[in-house]
Amino acid sequence: IGVLQVRALCVFVLFLLIVFFFPFFFQRHTAAITALAFHGSRHLVSASADGAVCVWRCKDWECVWQMQAHKKGVRALTLHPSGRMALT
């Protein structure tokens, strides 16, 4: 199993935990979370069906930045390797 497969599996497991077991942690979203992306081990970026994008600090799951990215929902999210840009 490759490094990318392990990372993808970890993101998938975290996605399942977020959606089904810990919805109260991600209360900034008012609709279903549709995309997740890690930047290193410090930040997680989430996007949702309400069009919002949030940046979460992993150590305490605090939302450190939020914006309304789209009028409609976000279907996909990817981060630039520098972490300075996200495409939705």
Side-chain angles (χ1 to χ4, degrees):
I1 190 165
V3 173
L4 292 177
Q5 291 170 326
V6 169
R7 186 169 182 141
L9 180 62
C10 290
V11 169
F12 179 71
V13 168
L14 181 61
F15 179 79
L16 291 176
L17 288 172
I18 290 167
V19 171
F20 295 108
F21 298 108
F22 301 115
F24 56 91
F25 283 142
F26 296 92
Q27 292 180 354
R28 296 286 182 120
H29 293 290
T30 59
I33 295 171
T34 55
L36 295 171
F38 278 101
H39 179 253
S41 60
R42 292 183 171 189
H43 293 97
L44 173 68
V45 182
S46 62
S48 64
D50 61 4
V53 174
C54 298
V55 177
W56 304 88
R57 186 174 44 228
C58 291
K59 73 176 184 179
D60 58 2
W61 299 111
E62 182 72 28
C63 179
V64 295
W65 187 80
Q66 179 181 6
M67 75 171 288
Q68 188 65 34
H70 298 277
K71 290 180 182 179
K72 294 186 178 183
V74 177
R75 291 185 179 199
L77 168 73
T78 188
L79 299 177
H80 187 272
S82 69
R84 294 181 181 266
M85 182 175 21
L87 299 174
T88 60

